[in-house]
Amino acid sequence: NKTWYIKTTIVSTVEELQFQLTPVQINRILRANEQSVKIPEFDGKNLNPVLKFESNQLPANSPNEDRRSAATCLQTKGMLFGVFDGHAGYACAQAVSERLFYYISVALMSQKNLEEIEFAMEHMKPVLPILQWYKPTNDYIYRKSASLYLDHLRVFWQELIDHDNAEGMSTGDSLAYAFKRLDSDISLEAQVPLDSDIMRNMAIQVAFAGSTACVAHVDNIDLHVANSGDCRAILGVQEEDGSWSSLPLTHDHNALNPSELARVRSEHPKSEENTVVTGDRLLGLLMPLRAFGDVCFKWSKELQQSILENGFDLETLDIYHYAPPNYLTPPYLNVDPELTYHKLRPQDKFLILATDGLWDMLSNDEAVRLVAEHLTGIHLEEPVAASERQVKLGQMHSLLLKRRARAVPSHDPNVATHLIRHSIGTNEYGEIEQVQLSAMMSLPEDLTRMYRDDITVTVVYFNSDLIKAHYKENNLRFL
């Protein structure tokens, strides 16, 4: 298959260049960005259906363009998890990973809570914290932009107060509104005068870069997912007979999704039907068909020209502005998230959130199988296929190699690392090969991106006993 061909090509390329990493070096690189957090069952207000989460990243770009976030909403109920896949640089993904959860949390708040926060700000009193972040040790934030971000967040909650909605928005509405409002603020910040050149330059970088986003909100048995772009959220489900299956909670927003392709084409004149998406890319340039930022696909040509000719050194800012061909009826891109609601059941064991770097290498079912094997310690044998029953003796060796691969214990305590290792280091039998793994990780920076993308993975484990108890307590049935 395509993935196997790519991996074997890399192996031969690296062998020719005579690069080789030791197992110790491989582990050091793979585990550099690991995160593992156990969640208390009771947070002082509510029982939490999340047992723990594990996360990791493996960059291909230098610097890494992916970002990830996890936090507990302190003024409302629930936890937030997100993965963000940046493009044209990391600036937009970084900003979205810092800001989006605040917008969601504020949108979820009641009128009373919002008024209390505004009163504290108005009278320069301490403001109750909105989020409890779970930051990886090597994470960082744009501290120089904190005041700008807070100012615009405050405008947002002031407008919500004016809406006079006593109970706040529903979770789905909050997610959708927050996505769209943050994207609007990113666009606005690049257009208005700012206090310093640093903030002004940063706002331009964020707006002209882009980022997809996949966010999950978990509150008791209610799981909401908002997705813009081609990251994915996949549930791992274990049935009563012990079998496992994957349940996708998102659809990829790219040209390989027929309904998404039809949506984009329907938003422009018939005369542009053959130019809106060419070569499976928006205007021949952009793979995801929904994203934050990317104002070069949203603003008019005139607006782009007036902003970029206003004294910016585009080369220093690492902004490569281009006029997309056939740019006739903008906007061509939006961030409107696709929303999915799922009521958690005892058989829903874990949630995988990952950027497309993982899904380029693994199918949904393969990812769930790997996590299930890691979770249970039981390597899941596929039934013997009819073709396998008829194999000749000479073919048996290949079949045994395939079987043997499933008996190898996991190298990694962290399941996200386990997924990343298998996504880049397995051979055609599903077996980890050190030569291939070394090859995939030994490519020079300028070549790595030709063969794989940045990979970010977060796996959230659910408390099945707590979920089951909720159903019994409320006399609910689960399927």
Side-chain angles (χ1 to χ4, degrees):
N1 59 35
K2 179 182 177 182
T3 301
W4 177 80
Y5 174 77
I6 291 173
K7 290 178 179 177
T8 53
T9 302
I10 294 171
V11 171
S12 60
T13 301
V14 172
E15 284 178 340
E16 288 176 9
L17 296 173
Q18 295 184 333
F19 293 133
Q20 185 69 37
L21 296 175
T22 68
V24 172
Q25 290 172 318
I26 289 172
N27 287 341
R28 187 180 297 123
I29 295 169
L30 278 175
R31 296 170 180 171
N33 299 308
E34 283 184 335
Q35 183 187 23
S36 182
V37 178
K38 292 184 178 180
I39 307 298
E41 185 172 328
F42 186 67
D43 64 5
K45 296 185 296 183
N46 311 287
L47 290 170
N48 198 324
V50 176
L51 283 171
K52 65 176 180 178
F53 71 91
E54 295 177 333
S55 185
N56 199 0
Q57 294 182 304
L58 181 67
N61 293 289
S62 182
N64 187 4
E65 295 182 350
D66 279 5
R67 294 295 185 269
R68 54 185 164 164
S69 296
T72 294
C73 301
L74 295 176
Q75 303 304 316
T76 57
K77 296 189 297 179
M79 292 189 70
L80 287 163
F81 301 92
V83 293
F84 311 94
D85 187 350
H87 46 265
Y90 63 86
C92 190
Q94 177 67 34
V96 174
S97 71
E98 290 180 31
R99 304 177 68 182
L100 181 57
F101 285 10
Y102 281 111
Y103 279 66
I104 294 169
S105 299
V106 164
L108 285 166
M109 286 186 198
S110 66
Q111 179 99 5
K112 181 174 180 294
N113 278 357
L114 292 172
E115 289 173 347
E116 288 173 352
I117 290 176
E118 176 59 24
F119 181 85
M121 288 285 291
E122 183 71 26
H123 295 84
M124 302 183 68
K125 294 185 176 183
V127 177
L128 290 174
I130 294 173
L131 294 168
Q132 176 187 340
W133 289 97
Y134 304 98
K135 293 284 189 181
T137 54
N138 57 355
D139 197 25
Y140 60 95
I141 60 173
Y142 283 158
R143 297 189 184 280
K144 296 184 188 304
S145 296
S147 61
L148 173 67
Y149 293 171
L150 178 57
D151 288 345
H152 279 205
L153 181 66
R154 186 179 180 187
V155 171
F156 181 44
W157 78 54
Q158 288 172 339
E159 292 180 10
L160 291 172
I161 290 172
D162 291 341
H163 288 173
D164 198 24
N165 185 354
E167 299 303 318
M169 294 184 182
S170 68
T171 304
D173 289 345
S174 296
L175 289 165
Y177 197 22
F179 269 61
K180 288 183 277 191
R181 179 52 183 259
L182 175 56
D183 192 53
S184 175
D185 282 354
I186 287 172
S187 175
L188 177 64
E189 289 157 8
Q191 299 176 52
V192 299
L194 296 175
D195 294 339
S196 71
D197 287 342
I198 292 177
M199 290 173 61
R200 181 168 167 261
N201 289 344
M202 199 165 291
I204 285 289
Q205 284 180 304
V206 170
F208 276 87
S211 178
T212 64
C214 185
V215 172
H217 180 273
V218 186
D219 175 16
N220 207 331
I221 64 169
D222 297 319
L223 170 60
H224 290 82
V225 175
N227 183 54
S228 290
D230 48 12
C231 299
R232 288 185 200 169
I234 308 295
L235 268 179
V237 182
Q238 186 178 33
E239 305 300 343
E240 289 186 4
D241 63 2
S243 63
W244 288 87
S245 62
S246 63
L247 178 61
L249 299 178
T250 58
H251 300 96
D252 295 347
H253 298 138
N254 57 34
L256 301 181
N257 179 342
S259 62
E260 185 69 2
L261 182 59
R263 178 192 67 80
V264 172
R265 284 177 169 161
S266 71
E267 295 172 353
H268 300 275
K270 185 74 173 174
S271 58
E272 295 184 58
E273 184 176 10
N274 295 323
T275 59
V276 171
V277 176
T278 60
D280 288 338
R281 292 172 180 264
L282 186 65
L283 297 176
L285 296 169
L286 187 66
M287 285 288 290
L289 301 183
R290 305 189 198 195
F292 283 93
D294 284 318
V295 293
C296 53
F297 293 92
K298 297 174 180 177
W299 290 354
S300 67
K301 285 184 178 179
E302 293 74 21
L303 177 57
Q304 294 182 51
Q305 186 174 359
S306 67
I307 296 296
L308 293 176
E309 290 181 352
N310 195 21
F312 290 105
D313 184 345
L314 300 187
E315 186 173 345
T316 301
L317 292 178
D318 200 24
I319 294 175
Y320 300 97
H321 180 247
Y322 41 79
N326 302 298
Y327 197 76
L328 305 173
T329 55
Y332 287 88
L333 186 71
N334 67 53
V335 78
D336 297 356
E338 185 175 19
L339 302 174
T340 303
Y341 170 71
H342 178 80
K343 187 174 289 186
L344 288 173
R345 308 157 300 173
Q347 60 263 44
D348 299 326
K349 302 301 182 181
F350 55 82
L351 173 70
I352 305 173
L353 295 170
T355 56
D356 68 338
L358 183 78
W359 308 116
D360 288 342
M361 302 292 193
L362 295 176
S363 69
N364 296 349
D365 288 343
E366 287 171 333
V368 166
R369 176 181 63 78
L370 286 165
V371 177
E373 290 175 349
H374 193 276
L375 174 63
T376 62
I378 300 172
H379 291 265
L380 309 174
E381 294 288 2
E382 297 173 352
V384 177
S387 59
E388 292 178 336
R389 296 191 190 105
Q390 305 298 322
V391 295
K392 298 176 182 178
L393 187 59
Q395 298 170 302
M396 186 59 71
H397 178 66
S398 294
L399 177 57
L400 291 175
L401 282 176
K402 186 176 180 181
R403 294 301 195 197
R404 188 185 72 181
R406 299 186 181 278
V408 176
S410 170
H411 290 78
D412 305 295
N414 185 302
V415 73
T417 308
H418 181 68
L419 280 170
I420 293 173
R421 185 187 296 270
H422 277 264
S423 71
I424 64 173
T426 53
N427 60 20
E428 59 185 311
Y429 306 115
E431 182 181 32
I432 292 288
E433 276 193 5
Q434 288 298 121
V435 173
Q436 180 171 302
L437 192 58
S438 175
M440 288 290 284
M441 300 179 66
S442 298
L443 288 167
E445 288 181 358
D446 58 337
L447 293 181
T448 303
R449 188 58 187 88
M450 295 171 59
Y451 294 101
R452 66 172 179 84
D453 199 354
D454 301 322
I455 302 174
T456 296
V457 184
T458 296
V459 180
V460 182
Y461 289 101
F462 299 119
N463 187 334
S464 297
D465 293 336
L466 184 63
I467 295 171
K468 188 179 295 184
H470 176 89
Y471 275 88
K472 289 182 178 178
E473 182 181 338
N474 292 277
N475 295 317
L476 299 173
R477 295 180 60 192
F478 52 85
L479 299 177

